[in-house]
Amino acid sequence: MIYMPFLDGIRALAVIMVFIFHLNPKWLPGGFIGVDIFFVISGFLITQIIWKGLSNNTYSYGQFLWSRCKRLIPAYAFVIIATSLTGAYILLPNELIAFNKSIIYSIPFLTNLLFFIKSGYFEGSSEYFPLLHTWSLAVEWQFYLFFPFALLLLYKIKKEDIVRNLILFTIISAVISIIVTPIDPSMAFYLSPFRAAEFLIGGLVSFLVLKPINVKPWKINFLVSASFLGLLGFTIGLSKNSLFPGYYAIIVAFLSGTLIFGLYKQQQGLIKSLFSAEPIVFIGKISYSFYLWHWPIILYSKLYFESIHNIPVYVFITATTIICALLSYFFIENQFRRVKASFKIVVPMLLTYSFILAVPIYLFSSTNGLSSRLTEQDRTVLNTPGWRDFPGKCEFTQQKNKFYGCTLGDPIAQPHTLLWGDSHAQVLVWEYNKLAKTKNKSILSFTKGGCPPIFGGIPVNSPIEKQVCFDLQQKIFELLNSPNKITDIVIVAKWDGYTTKQLQQTPIMGNTHDDFTSLLISSIKYIQDLGYHVHLIDSIPYPGWEVPETIVRTRLLNKEETNTFEDVIPNIVFDLKANLDINLIGLSTYFPKDYLCDDGICSIMKDGAPLYFDSNHLSSDGVKAIEPILLSTLKNKKVAYE
């Protein structure tokens, strides 16, 4: 196959996009599309390789897989071993156990399945998995396993219709991805059937470039420029809050395909010269090793330095990634590419690969994540209670497709207070239950993590099933519009988690607002118009990093302990009070930062106990710190609505 330098140039573009995005998403919020560009390039090259073999009657599935093994496995295994050795120093026992599981899934290239399973709201942040980035390699490997069979079958049936059939399969895969993405974004993101269209678009381009097409040079130049600028536009226009993959990924794949086609057909041009320049091409050549190394280095730097957002750490991460990529490219990738396939070589290599990765698996499993490093105090901190069985009498158990409806406090008393919110409201139920009992009061609690307490809008990109959020909003709406003894509504949420998110409108109240703040204002006004008093608890300040783990890690690494963080969370109350539609007499507002912070500097511990059990949720000690707020909300303001 003829070497095309510009393809390595496009690889360089893709890996730089991903690297910048992971280094600081604010710099390139849509840089994650670099992975989708990689998918299209893989589809293009693999289809060319297979088609050439089929056309020449020299195709061998075994030889093809061996070439992929040589390309992927050696550097892949080496990075996992290096990540394991570093992880034994930096990662905590619970993190090593989770990491261990990802190693097990990495051996058969199934980490995309693992991270899909781990993508639930209460599974913890997947961003703290050192092998998170290998999900895309797993998707590629699955494509390598199954696509050759599909192409061979289409070739045997009727090779003249192979392009037509590929177009059909591409359309079907694209439509399925577009349909599934709004329903379950995690499934569409991680699982290969919903990414197939991106590879197939690359495959179609590999057939298209072989056809003699008479196109004027200016049209090719325009196509190249438009595709390139379009991809750059998506790196700026998209973000983690975008509904992805869906139609966005299909458009990115289409632009990537047209860029490859245009550069293939273009005789000369500025963009082709850029992508064919030796420094850019070299980055493309080392892009696989660079991609393998970049995420573990970024993550471990984040865990060690606690923050990577300063120039010296950026330089350290970039330099370390480049050095590691160069070493593995020259001394691992290039060395194994020269190895010819034979049974005597392939089997021992695969056995060695499995054995090498089995070593850290056994070590971390047999030692419970090297737990002997911890003191009793460390274990106590790490075991800070988080999510547990809800108190009171609950209508629903903790299920993914259910919200939580509980009666807290005195089971005999008539409830006059309703608690409505997301997971930041859920962490309050244990303290509310205790306080309500002492005052012989009862509270209705309706909560669900990831579901904003508003009428008329649901985040389009959320690990929570959107139907659950709609059901919760509908439940509150119906309850407030029916005869009851409720007088006060307490609304709590992680407000900054919704203000920038794209919302899907729901028919409740017939809202037509697009932005979250407008929906919240209209929801509060609607509740007030029904005669209820609204208690709005403003944003709870949070550090954004795992508090118990950070406390213990600083001790293990003999570093200076971090006991505070700066509150940078915007206060939504100020936006609401500036709105003239809000009845300020019927609105009580509370600021948790008044109890957790001092002049914008907030504590993460009190009397040796963490105030947070993860990166943003208050622990039981943290909730006790804002107990005066909870007590104030129990002082009912209004007469019952009849």
Side-chain angles (χ1 to χ4, degrees):
M1 191 171 65
I2 299 174
Y3 174 63
M4 293 166 276
F6 67 83
L7 281 181
D8 277 324
I10 299 176
R11 281 197 182 105
L13 172 69
V15 80
I16 290 171
M17 284 178 175
V18 174
F19 180 67
I20 294 175
F21 170 74
H22 282 154
L23 200 60
N24 191 333
K26 293 180 181 179
W27 292 347
L28 207 63
F32 54 82
I33 68 167
V35 171
D36 303 88
I37 297 174
F38 275 127
F39 288 164
V40 176
I41 294 173
S42 292
F44 176 81
L45 291 174
I46 297 310
T47 303
Q48 279 205 339
I49 292 170
I50 297 173
W51 183 251
K52 181 181 178 182
L54 291 173
S55 302
N56 298 337
N57 201 27
T58 58
Y59 173 71
S60 166
Y61 181 68
Q63 191 66 37
F64 168 76
L65 284 186
W66 169 244
S67 68
R68 294 300 90 199
C69 285
K70 289 193 300 178
R71 176 80 173 95
L72 297 178
I73 288 179
Y76 181 74
F78 185 77
V79 169
I80 292 176
I81 290 299
T83 305
S84 301
L85 292 172
T86 311
Y89 173 67
I90 292 181
L91 297 179
L92 302 177
N94 57 324
E95 296 167 338
L96 277 176
I97 292 170
F99 173 60
N100 207 33
K101 198 168 188 177
S102 65
I103 299 177
I104 294 172
Y105 275 78
S106 72
I107 294 175
F109 286 91
L110 291 174
T111 49
N112 62 322
L113 179 60
L114 171 66
F115 296 127
F116 163 63
I117 297 170
K118 289 287 184 181
S119 62
Y121 188 85
F122 295 111
E123 290 291 346
S125 177
S126 60
E127 293 181 0
Y128 288 90
F129 285 98
L131 298 181
L132 174 64
H133 64 315
T134 62
W135 74 269
S136 63
L137 303 179
V139 171
E140 285 208 31
W141 184 255
Q142 290 152 24
F143 174 75
Y144 298 153
L145 286 177
F146 297 107
F147 180 67
F149 284 115
L151 201 60
L152 178 61
L153 182 63
L154 293 175
Y155 183 84
K156 293 292 185 183
I157 293 174
K158 193 174 183 181
K159 66 179 181 180
E160 293 80 8
D161 291 338
I162 198 166
V163 173
R164 188 181 305 165
N165 288 326
L166 282 179
I167 292 174
L168 177 62
F169 290 140
T170 303
I171 293 173
I172 292 173
S173 176
V175 170
I176 292 174
S177 176
I178 292 170
I179 292 173
V180 172
T181 297
I183 299 171
D184 194 333
S186 295
M187 179 186 290
F189 187 89
Y190 284 113
L191 301 190
S192 51
F194 308 104
R195 296 292 194 150
E198 300 174 55
F199 291 95
L200 293 175
I201 286 172
L204 286 170
V205 174
S206 74
F207 285 106
L208 189 60
V209 297
L210 298 178
K211 294 182 177 294
I213 300 176
N214 186 19
V215 182
K216 292 183 179 180
W218 73 266
K219 292 183 178 180
I220 291 294
N221 294 338
F222 175 79
L223 183 67
V224 169
S225 299
S227 302
F228 179 57
L229 293 175
L231 290 173
L232 293 182
F234 273 107
T235 64
I236 299 171
L238 294 179
S239 72
K240 291 189 291 185
N241 294 325
S242 302
L243 190 60
F244 200 87
Y247 61 88
Y248 283 134
I250 302 304
I251 297 173
V252 168
F254 177 78
L255 290 173
S256 303
T258 56
L259 180 61
I260 293 172
F261 172 79
L263 291 175
Y264 188 96
K265 294 293 184 180
Q266 193 178 47
Q267 296 298 320
Q268 59 182 2
L270 178 62
I271 295 176
K272 187 165 187 176
S273 298
L274 174 66
F275 282 128
S276 301
E278 286 189 18
I280 303 298
V281 169
F282 183 72
I283 294 174
K285 287 181 178 180
I286 67 169
S287 61
Y288 176 60
S289 285
F290 192 97
Y291 182 81
L292 282 174
W293 283 106
H294 89 282
W295 178 246
I297 291 171
I298 289 176
L299 175 60
Y300 286 155
S301 298
K302 185 185 297 184
L303 294 177
Y304 185 85
F305 296 113
E306 296 176 14
S307 173
I308 63 171
H309 301 306
N310 59 74
I311 298 299
V313 179
Y314 287 144
V315 172
F316 169 80
I317 290 172
T318 305
T320 305
T321 303
I322 292 173
I323 291 169
C324 290
L326 289 172
L327 291 174
S328 61
Y329 173 73
F330 284 112
F331 296 105
I332 299 177
E333 280 193 69
N334 280 354
Q335 301 305 314
F336 278 90
R337 281 178 181 174
R338 302 189 183 100
V339 179
K340 294 184 178 180
S342 71
F343 183 79
K344 292 181 179 180
I345 294 176
V346 174
V347 174
M349 176 185 166
L350 294 179
L351 290 176
T352 303
Y353 162 68
S354 301
F355 174 77
I356 288 175
L357 296 188
V359 173
I361 292 173
Y362 172 76
L363 176 63
F364 298 151
S365 298
S366 61
T367 61
N368 196 27
L370 305 177
S371 59
S372 60
R373 297 174 294 162
L374 301 183
T375 64
E376 282 303 317
Q377 184 183 9
D378 292 335
R379 291 188 175 92
T380 301
V381 170
L382 285 178
N383 292 327
T384 299
W387 304 116
R388 49 205 189 276
D389 291 337
F390 276 36
K393 182 180 179 182
C394 295
E395 183 178 352
F396 299 116
T397 57
Q398 295 192 30
Q399 300 176 34
K400 184 179 180 180
N401 61 345
K402 298 286 187 182
F403 57 84
Y404 308 106
C406 300
T407 302
L408 309 174
D410 189 340
I412 300 176
Q414 183 73 36
H416 293 291
T417 302
L418 169 66
L419 174 65
W420 180 24
D422 60 9
S423 61
H424 278 213
Q426 285 175 206
V427 299
L428 306 179
V429 296
W430 292 275
E431 190 69 14
Y432 260 129
N433 184 61
K434 184 188 76 174
L435 295 175
K437 280 184 177 180
T438 61
K439 294 183 173 296
N440 298 319
K441 290 193 173 189
S442 179
I443 303 171
L444 288 181
S445 170
F446 290 96
T447 60
K448 184 65 176 180
C451 294
I454 57 173
F455 296 126
I458 297 169
V460 297
N461 189 6
S462 171
I464 301 298
E465 293 184 12
K466 285 186 280 295
Q467 184 60 43
V468 183
C469 294
F470 175 76
D471 291 343
L472 175 55
Q473 292 180 8
Q474 189 69 36
K475 174 71 176 181
I476 299 295
F477 185 81
E478 293 173 356
L479 178 62
L480 297 184
N481 281 280
S482 62
N484 61 74
K485 298 296 182 181
I486 296 170
T487 60
D488 295 70
I489 315 297
V490 182
I491 302 177
V492 189
K494 184 177 179 289
W495 302 114
D496 65 296
Y498 306 110
T499 51
T500 60
K501 281 194 174 181
Q502 181 183 352
L503 298 178
Q504 173 184 320
Q505 294 183 8
T506 60
I508 300 176
M509 280 177 44
N511 277 319
T512 58
H513 297 294
D514 291 323
D515 65 288
F516 174 78
T517 303
S518 297
L519 284 173
L520 178 59
I521 290 171
S522 64
S523 300
I524 291 176
K525 187 175 185 301
Y526 181 81
I527 295 171
Q528 289 178 328
D529 289 344
L530 290 175
Y532 300 101
H533 188 88
V534 175
H535 301 262
L536 183 70
I537 298 180
D538 209 337
S539 301
I540 295 172
Y542 62 88
W545 31 264
E546 304 292 322
V547 170
E549 284 80 1
T550 300
I551 293 170
V552 175
R553 196 183 332 272
T554 54
R555 291 175 184 166
L556 285 179
L557 298 177
N558 294 316
K559 296 180 63 183
E560 183 180 350
E561 293 189 12
T562 302
N563 296 318
T564 60
F565 65 93
E566 184 180 359
D567 176 27
V568 294
I569 306 301
N571 299 113
I572 199 166
V573 166
F574 297 137
D575 294 332
L576 299 185
K577 286 192 172 182
N579 189 283
L580 298 178
D581 290 335
I582 294 291
N583 176 11
L584 298 181
I585 297 176
L587 176 68
S588 298
T589 56
Y590 309 90
F591 297 90
K593 69 177 182 180
D594 291 343
Y595 301 88
L596 297 167
C597 310
D598 185 12
D599 289 332
I601 303 300
C602 312
S603 299
I604 63 171
M605 295 186 73
K606 185 177 181 180
D607 300 328
L611 298 179
Y612 301 82
F613 65 79
D614 59 10
S615 64
N616 65 94
H617 293 99
L618 290 176
S619 66
S620 56
D621 288 278
V623 175
K624 286 177 183 176
I626 64 167
E627 185 178 287
I629 292 178
L630 308 190
L631 287 170
S632 295
T633 62
L634 292 178
K635 296 175 182 178
N636 300 115
K637 306 285 186 180
K638 300 285 287 185
V639 296
Y641 170 72
E642 301 292 347

